[in-house]
Amino acid sequence: VYDGQGKYDEAVSMYEKSLEINLLEFGNNHPSVANTYNNIGFVQDHQGKYDDAVSMYKKSLDINLSALGDNHPSVANTYNNLGLVYNHQGKYDDAISMYQKALNINCSVLSNNHPNLAETYEGIGVVNANQDKYKKAISFYKKAVSILIDAHLQNHPDLARIYDLMALCYDKLNQHDDAAAMRQKSNDIHRSLQQVSTNNRTSTNDVKQSTATAPLDEASTEKDLTKDLSDQQMESQQISNPSDYHSDTQQIHDQALAKKQYFKAYKQALRQGSCKNRLIRAMFTGPEYVGKSSIMRVFTQQKLVNLQDPTQVVDQSDKMVDLKVYKIEDRTMHDVDQIWKNNLHAIVQEEYQDQIRSQQESPVLKLTQDSIDGNLSVNYKPQSRIKRLKLASESHSNNTTTLTPSATDIPTISPTDNNSSLQCCRDLFQKFGLSLSNKTKDDSQYAKLWDFGGQSIYHVTHQPFLSGNSMYFFVFNIKQSIDDRVQTRDGESLNSTYLQSMQEWLTSIIGGSTNQNTMTVTIDKDEVKYSLPIVILVASHGDYITDKEKGIDQFIKFEKAITTKMQCYKSNIYSSRIIFNCNPQDNSSDTLAERKECSLRLHKIMKSFVQSSPFMNNPIPMRWYVIATILHTPIESSNDEVRASSTDGIRAKRIQKIMTIQQVQSLTKDYGLFEDGLVAMLSYLHDLGEIIFFPKANECGIIVTDVDWLLRIFRAIIQLQDCLSGSLEIKDLYEKARVTGKISTKYIDHVLAPYKLNDETKKCIITMMETYDILCTIKSDSEEDECYYFVPYLLRSDVQNFDLTKYHVSEKLYIGYEHSDIPYIPNGIYYCLLSSCLKEWNNIKVELYYQWAKFYLAPSYHYIIIAKDNSHIALQYCYRKSDNPKYASLVKSTVQKSIYQDRPQDIVKQKLSSLINDRMPRFKGSTIHYFIQCNVCNMLTAIKNDNKLQAKNLILCQNKSCELIFESQAINDWMYPNEEYENGGQKEGTSELPTYKEDLYQDIFDIVADKLDHNSLLRLGTKLEIPENDVTEIRDKNTNSYDKIHQILTLWREKAGQYADPNKIVTNLENMNKNRIADEVRAKIHSSK
């Protein structure tokens, strides 16, 4: 009974008491004891405690095999239950094995049309469907259908369910006619059951009697939902006519029953309710000082503000992100919390109507208090619950469009379904104001409009906040040429041009997105295919354009410049050719009419893209909306102290600005929601800008619930406003940060003092910033020294570069990509490269300048200079000149040995490639090259085996306008003569790297894959510098832990090539505190020598 009521702890307690009695009465090896173990396992399966359930079922299995033999229906039932649990865990091979054993037994001892056989076939079908083996799943479903029909259960709800499962599979196979036929059969069964139920419906008196006498399974948490309504209304009745009183009393009972059933619908909706996504984020972006905020105000029909400040940190009360929620249908503004609540109402209302219809399905079902409480019975009910068909993969990284929850996303009410969680469930129901209503379902679509700061210093902080599922309005200044330098509102010219700033933004938005989907959009009767994410070009400063045709011509010049410089982005960009006049001092009737016309045109374009977006067609589970509301709803005071302690009390204690995935999962359990699909849900909320999800931070990820707060902190650290107050020490720290790009712990403590953060929160913030290479810890040899951080974005552009007059300096070697592959390497990638190199060559002598950094490599007495040179990375090395010939010769020899053998250029090249693969997924797999500058045309040409001549330093320029042979000193400085450039840069036949037999790698991989636990997979991939996307793809495969770890190691071997040193595995295992495995691998390496 307790199990049926969802009171799982009580159920387990009763079964454990039964177990104690049975053990005393019958001993350890009796079928009654096995049956109790089986029942405990069944409850634990309901709770989601799958490992515990497996343990119970195995105990039951051992007893039954011993007492009943290996060919008994009870043994088959236990195998069946094990198959069900393994399916829940995603262990599909094990599930199939268990189902097959159950099938073998049942086929030998049961009739061919026994329902137990149908249940097993259905289970096997679901497992295959979860593995995307839809044809195979259908074949097993058909077997189950045949058995149920032979058993004269052709009008049974279980048969209807199997038809629905078959329909889902046919849809996946694009056999939509067959899917429709299956759904029609299911509907026919439901109609037949409804007719039978109508004929057997009990009378009104039966309803009254049942309501008065039926026990309530969750009375402690639900009865007040109906009691107050009944008591108050009955007391207020004026008994003027007995028949009227009877009618009114019946109405009160009916209302009470309806309200209770509505609450039951709410709980069911929490389990599996969903509705189509209705929200998308739209961000106004672009270079600084171009008028993004003004255009957003005009677009949202707000009053313009004269000389509006740029979107940045001004003081602690200002918002970092100007946010509006815009209704696509009528351009009105709305509150996002109300949209969440409307979605909840719609989902619950739909579930309620479904339950009203489903009451007609069973011939024995009566509309009574018992039926509302869920105490239903039918002639045939499977002993185990079949997991719902997986509709789509759960893998939803920061920018994919597949949001449909998978089988692992389908939760139940909390596995610790105690009174507290039920109380919270009810209180949330009341907090949302959910009630029976005749409201029309709102299918409107909304856009969350963001005005995002464009200052170049903030570019590095943008990436965590962007999403491939957002759309972008890209604003530029029409009065400026694309090659002009960006100007502030005071007329001051900045270092970057408009083209460079646009390249930075577009590369971050498009190149940094993992969303590779496309969509077809019809605008002005033209049907065009676009790649995601979508960027809509919009111009500002239309008040400077007196001739509209000249304005359009200027717009077209921007278009052509972008498509010429960044051809691979063309399919992502829509040119609106809309030019806004946002001069707040010009409010003439003509200007106002023009603004309205521009806004309507942009609205029409936006509406077309939103309605065509795949992101808007995804079903979103109701529990996602509930969790979003919990994370964001402010704690309100309540007169009900009990309620405050159960819901708001939980939130007050548990909701923090920074949380881990484990904390969020624990929170959902406290609220009665057991959430398995957290990553998909968090990614969806990130896409909308409701939270910021850092899946890379820590081992499991970090969630920030206050977006504006995080932006403030990031930018407070890197902005470096003038230090107007504070001690001389603090002012000195500010000045050093401007000149050196290094900040101390004292500096961070000072700028974060207004936020009153504890040490743990500060540590978490530093971890997030390090994860995205916004800063990098500089480790000191002395533990007593203060900790410093490398933050290259702090550098002033007027800081003088390193004086090289006293140094021998090599020619420049460039690293990068062909323009057709990657048109631009953004500053953010360059700064991340510096941070990554600092981690590699940790030393306190790193010196930073504007787009120029110098690393001292102590063992070989020289410096490596890494500079940003347009769309390439330029390398030089230098070492001090000496008047002593002997010393000079020794230093030169040491430096050349380092360049030829330690090959720092290869390290930089590998790290740049890894960063591009990780942070610019669109270009993952592009081939990176070394380049040198042609002495004739001054253009860069890639060094490849097919253009390197036999002579020591001659090379053929690959630029079609040149194609001349030239001599390059850079080849002498950086490369061995005649080396293979496309094989890692190591001279053939001269490698000093140790060589290992292939069998050794396989032996080592076997050891690690066998010994290392699954939870360490992500850390291992990170340690071996495997791009996160590759690790995630391997992690999400439906294979066992051994195979996944083996694939990670094999991928490392392939990427590292001849530099795949097995000792690196040992070092990384030790860093992960896996010392036993490291020792075993080390021993294997030594034994192979």
Side-chain angles (χ1 to χ4, degrees), residues 107-234:
C107 285
S108 65
V109 299
L110 299 177
S111 62
N112 293 335
N113 64 345
H114 196 283
N116 282 6
L117 287 171
E119 180 188 353
T120 304
Y121 282 129
E122 183 185 2
I124 296 174
V126 170
V127 174
N128 280 285
N130 284 343
Q131 296 176 289
D132 300 332
K133 300 175 182 178
Y134 301 114
K135 291 183 179 179
K136 199 169 183 179
I138 290 171
S139 69
F140 284 102
Y141 291 149
K142 287 181 176 179
K143 292 180 180 180
V145 167
S146 177
I147 290 170
L148 292 179
I149 291 175
D150 287 344
H152 305 292
L153 295 171
Q154 56 265 38
N155 281 327
H156 197 278
D158 291 315
L159 183 59
R161 181 184 65 247
I162 297 174
Y163 283 139
D164 286 330
L165 290 173
M166 293 175 69
L168 290 172
C169 290
Y170 280 126
D171 278 336
K172 290 293 183 180
L173 297 171
N174 294 319
Q175 298 177 18
H176 301 300
D177 290 341
D178 292 331
M182 293 300 103
R183 290 194 176 94
Q184 183 61 49
K185 290 184 178 182
S186 175
N187 292 338
D188 290 343
I189 293 173
H190 288 309
R191 278 194 294 270
S192 175
L193 292 171
Q194 183 177 5
Q195 183 60 42
V196 174
S197 180
T198 301
N199 295 336
N200 288 279
R201 183 172 299 173
T202 58
S203 66
T204 301
N205 289 332
D206 291 334
V207 175
K208 286 181 60 182
Q209 184 63 28
S210 177
T211 304
T213 61
L216 301 181
D217 62 337
E218 293 175 356
S220 61
T221 61
E222 296 181 16
K223 64 182 179 182
D224 61 324
L225 293 175
T226 57
K227 183 178 183 300
D228 293 342
L229 175 65
S230 299
D231 291 347
Q232 293 171 10
Q233 289 184 331
M234 290 181 69

Side-chain angles (χ1 to χ4, degrees), residues 547-573:
D547 186 328
K548 285 189 176 182
E549 291 187 3
K550 289 184 178 180
I552 295 300
D553 289 341
Q554 182 74 350
F555 203 119
I556 293 173
K557 288 181 181 178
F558 269 84
E559 291 177 18
K560 290 183 178 179
I562 291 174
T563 54
T564 300
K565 294 290 185 179
M566 294 174 283
Q567 290 188 16
C568 57
Y569 295 157
K570 287 195 299 184
S571 63
N572 296 83
I573 299 174

Side-chain angles (χ1 to χ4, degrees), residues 594-643:
E594 181 185 6
R595 288 174 186 162
K596 182 177 180 180
E597 190 248 342
C598 288
S599 296
L600 289 173
R601 285 170 56 199
L602 187 57
H603 168 80
K604 181 181 177 181
I605 294 167
M606 177 187 183
K607 184 176 181 180
S608 297
F609 279 107
V610 169
Q611 291 179 340
S612 303
S613 172
F615 184 69
M616 300 300 286
N617 294 321
N618 291 307
I620 305 302
M622 172 178 166
R623 64 190 180 279
W624 290 12
Y625 295 127
V626 173
I627 295 171
T629 305
I630 292 172
L631 292 175
H632 281 277
T633 301
I635 303 170
E636 301 172 355
S637 60
S638 173
N639 295 327
D640 185 346
E641 295 181 359
V642 175
R643 182 167 301 140

